[in-house]
Amino acid sequence: MTDAQTFQLDFTGLRSAQAPLTWGQRVIYEAVLSRTEAHGYDYNIKYFVELDGTFSTEDVLAALRQVVAAYESLRTVYLPGAGGAPPRQSVQGEGRLPVRITRMAAGADPESETVRLHTRMAESGFDLSHEWGIRVTLLLAPGGAPFRVLLYLSHVALDGWALRILEQDLRDRLAGRPAADPAGPRRTQPLDLAEQEQSERGRAMNRRSGAYVRKVLDGAPRSMFAGASGDPGAAHGELRSALMDAAARTIALRCQVSTATVHLAAFATLLARRNGTPRCALKTIFANRVGADRQGMVAPLASDVVLCPDVSGPAFDDVVRATHKDTLRGYARAQYDPADLDGLIAAAGEARGLRLDLSVLHNDTTLLFGEPAERTRTPEDTAEQEGDTAEQESADDRSFSWAAPFALPALKLYYNVSSEPDGPRTVHRLVADTAYLPRDDVRGLLLDLETLLTESARRPGVPMAASPHDYLVRPLVRGDDWLLTDSSWADLGAMRRALLGLEPVADAELLVDRDAGGVPRVTARVVPHARGDGGRPVTVREVRRAYEAALAVLPDVVLPHYYIVERPQFRAASH
């Protein structure tokens, strides 16, 4: 490198104000705060905008000043709440943004220089209580012309969709095009959105969304990992497959959905198959840019959508269509206060006698850069090649690799699908806690996704149960004491041990029968300890409350449907 200098972009006279965090800001802000380990997921964003060499340094600095002035999220600090109060956003109308200007040496590799500079920009994390969530380096070509604008951005300041808006606005300003219609409506800022969310209309929307989420949770399996007992650790596998890409496009076209829906349906199907349940409980990330006022916002807007798709089929196309309907309903109710989600999950679990475990997350970002256009073969081409199997594909058609694992708060499994800007393949990433999904099954589940999609693309309408799938990941093996009830697995042995561990209980047994629809019902028959002459008899309510208290620390037990408390004089029963 040769000369380097720092230029200060000064701002004054812009709006300054404080407000609660928007719902989208709060999701990311709290996630960033939870990143306590060095190998945790890095929420900050490294990005660069390529320039064509026709602009001067002064042109680029002027355009950058206009962009940062236009989007308040780039001039915001975040103030922690005092005394249990929620955090607040503080937009600053005055301040300085340093821009480091660095010239490449002759013969330097631009990609290596970009990586080096980005690494330097990210050496220290953002202190969002004092620092704006944007750092900028202007990289000059050896001759001195601006070559790339390097950005290091806090995810609390913006999301992936906003990156495209930011880049296009910068290009428009460099080209002399107006960034917005002066006669049009004022650009929506996070301060405005916070006001909308805190209004009566926003609170009503939050209540409707909460009611919908609760309805979904009422039918969700307790866990997608009930009974799993692997070795603790972490694994991160990545799969790129031309066959899988082509198959997903074929199925998406046939079912009139996006490939993101196809990927989600396949993942949910295989995870439910492993768990032995007809439904899969998970969360998916939704961009949440519904409505004209959100389309041009530079801010984080995404929210978690709770899904519980029925993946029983019979054919995979049926699963895709059902998943599509579920996701659309979830998107329509995705605008809610994230602070309420834990309470909704706890309330739904308590009502069902469960401790719900929503530790599976899906995120598909393929639309950020568009799906890869290059495809080497279609499923139809491959079907004509007798004896061809997925294992015989060349490295150009399919590759699997292990990557460095990372930790995401409260997650056991993370499935991410993305398109790299210059890559010919969609990248499927699976990050797992190996106590729940072993390392071999991480690789196996990704390859099973390829098998399910390619077979379904070749044989539309064939029932999944009749398809000769040779899956690598087998269903979880559970002992005879396990029972599938109310869409959730319960360990009857653990339930009996839990009952026997209660202070008022001397003996207990579990009785299982089925209702008129064939659904299993569990009755707990309890013999209490004697309390001596004149002692108050043990009640059903007392046993139930003691069991519910123990439930909080027992992962694989559920509440019985009925209780019977035996006493010498009579029997007390509860439904």
Side-chain angles (χ1 to χ4, degrees):
M1 304 296 297
T2 55
D3 52 318
Q5 58 179 317
T6 299
F7 186 88
Q8 302 289 342
L9 296 181
D10 292 310
F11 300 89
T12 186
L14 303 171
R15 177 168 67 161
S16 296
Q18 290 189 18
L21 299 191
T22 67
W23 296 337
Q25 286 174 329
R26 187 157 183 171
V27 168
I28 302 300
Y29 181 79
E30 293 184 352
V32 169
L33 289 184
S34 69
R35 189 184 186 276
T36 58
E37 301 177 4
H39 67 284
Y41 182 77
D42 185 1
Y43 290 92
N44 296 328
I45 302 168
K46 297 173 183 175
Y47 198 71
F48 68 81
V49 178
E50 191 96 27
L51 303 176
D52 62 9
T54 62
F55 306 109
S56 68
T57 297
E58 290 73 19
D59 293 336
V60 177
L61 292 174
L64 282 169
R65 179 184 283 108
Q66 293 170 351
V67 168
V68 175
Y71 300 107
E72 292 180 350
S73 66
L74 303 179
R75 295 180 285 104
T76 298
V77 295
Y78 302 87
L79 308 176
R88 295 179 66 80
Q89 56 176 312
S90 177
V91 176
Q92 300 186 334
E94 296 185 0
R96 278 187 159 189
L97 175 67
V99 177
R100 184 176 177 83
I101 304 174
T102 304
R103 181 184 298 185
M104 281 192 298
D109 175 42
E111 307 311 318
S112 298
E113 288 301 296
T114 297
V115 170
R116 188 183 71 82
L117 291 171
H118 264 149
T119 300
R120 177 175 178 174
M121 295 167 74
E123 281 179 347
S124 61
F126 287 103
D127 179 359
L128 292 175
S129 62
H130 297 89
E131 179 186 4
W132 297 351
I134 177 172
R135 297 174 186 170
V136 185
T137 295
L138 178 57
L139 180 59
L140 307 180
F147 174 64
R148 283 177 178 171
V149 177
L150 276 57
L151 301 172
Y152 183 59
L153 301 150
S154 168
H155 202 349
V156 184
L158 79 174
D159 56 23
W161 288 95
L163 276 176
R164 301 188 305 173
I165 299 168
L166 205 63
E167 176 176 357
Q168 188 58 53
D169 194 348
L170 179 62
R171 293 190 183 282
D172 286 343
R173 293 179 189 275
L174 284 170
R177 295 187 294 266
D181 182 359
R186 184 172 63 87
R187 179 181 286 112
T188 303
Q189 304 283 2
L191 285 177
D192 308 316
L193 184 57
E195 182 179 358
Q196 295 172 23
E197 292 172 348
Q198 298 301 317
S199 69
E200 179 53 40
R201 181 179 179 184
R203 291 193 293 270
M205 178 172 58
N206 185 48
R207 289 192 295 270
R208 289 193 297 270
S209 296
Y212 174 80
V213 171
R214 173 60 189 270
K215 183 178 179 181
V216 173
L217 292 171
D218 284 343
R222 183 195 63 77
S223 169
M224 300 311 299
F225 307 101
S229 57
D231 295 325
H236 176 184
E238 297 185 353
L239 177 67
R240 296 163 174 83
S241 168
L243 284 177
M244 190 172 175
D245 287 346
R249 290 169 64 89
T250 296
I251 298 168
L253 182 62
R254 193 165 67 216
C255 296
Q256 294 298 289
V257 301
S258 67
T259 56
T261 299
V262 175
H263 296 146
L264 174 58
F267 175 66
T269 297
L270 292 172
L271 193 58
R273 176 184 178 275
R274 178 181 185 268
N275 193 43
T277 50
R279 291 182 176 272
C280 179
L282 60 101
K283 293 183 290 187
T284 187
I285 298 177
F286 175 47
N288 224 346
R289 291 184 175 266
V290 177
D293 60 330
R294 292 173 170 238
Q295 296 304 307
M297 283 191 67
V298 170
L301 295 174
S303 64
D304 291 340
V305 176
V306 179
L307 295 177
C308 184
D310 183 343
V311 296
S312 57
F316 181 64
D317 282 13
D318 298 313
V319 176
V320 171
R321 295 187 179 99
T323 302
H324 177 62
K325 292 179 181 178
D326 280 356
T327 53
L328 289 182
R329 285 191 286 262
Y331 293 165
R333 289 287 180 260
Q335 296 179 44
Y336 64 89
D337 188 342
D340 295 344
L341 184 56
D342 287 344
L344 289 168
I345 294 172
E350 182 178 353
R352 296 171 56 195
L354 309 173
R355 188 176 61 165
L356 290 175
D357 172 21
L358 267 72
S359 58
V360 179
L361 180 65
H362 162 266
N363 187 20
D364 194 309
T365 59
T366 52
L367 293 181
L368 287 178
F369 300 108
E371 296 180 34
E374 179 183 340
R375 298 290 182 265
T376 57
R377 281 184 222 131
T378 67
E380 291 75 14
D381 294 334
T382 307
E384 295 174 359
Q385 300 177 8
E386 295 184 4
D388 194 18
T389 67
E391 291 295 336
Q392 293 171 318
E393 296 301 320
S394 71
D396 289 337
D397 292 325
R398 185 234 259 156
S399 66
F400 174 84
S401 59
W402 293 106
F406 53 83
L408 278 165
L411 289 183
K412 296 181 175 69
L413 188 61
Y414 175 54
Y415 174 45
N416 170 258
V417 188
S418 64
S419 294
E420 295 171 338
D422 300 321
R425 304 278 178 268
T426 303
V427 186
H428 297 258
R429 298 179 175 90
L430 205 58
V431 183
D433 181 336
T434 53
Y436 302 94
L437 189 72
R439 180 181 172 91
D440 287 346
D441 282 355
V442 169
R443 178 180 181 275
L445 190 57
L446 287 170
L447 296 178
D448 285 348
L449 285 169
E450 182 186 59
T451 299
L452 175 58
L453 293 183
T454 53
E455 287 295 317
S456 298
R458 291 187 180 107
R459 306 176 67 199
V462 174
M464 290 186 291
S467 299
H469 297 325
D470 185 18
Y471 291 125
L472 298 172
V473 178
R474 304 299 180 187
L476 282 169
V477 177
R478 302 182 178 94
D480 294 338
D481 278 344
W482 286 85
L483 178 72
L484 183 62
T485 174
D486 296 337
S487 301
S488 298
W489 285 100
D491 184 349
L492 298 181
M495 290 174 65
R496 183 174 183 273
R497 291 190 294 274
L499 287 167
L500 290 173
L502 303 181
E503 184 274 331
V505 176
D507 195 11
E509 64 176 333
L510 295 172
L511 309 173
V512 179
D513 59 6
R514 296 183 181 271
D515 64 16
V519 178
R521 291 291 181 259
V522 180
T523 298
R525 176 183 172 275
V526 173
V527 179
H529 286 294
R531 285 183 165 167
D533 293 341
R536 178 178 57 80
V538 174
T539 65
V540 166
R541 184 178 184 183
E542 186 177 357
V543 172
R544 180 185 177 98
R545 283 187 170 180
Y547 187 87
E548 287 176 346
L551 188 70
V553 295
L554 298 172
D556 293 321
V557 301
V558 301
L559 284 179
H561 298 89
Y562 315 108
Y563 291 81
I564 296 175
V565 176
E566 298 283 0
R567 293 204 283 276
Q569 297 83 8
F570 58 92
R571 169 185 293 184
S574 170
H575 289 244

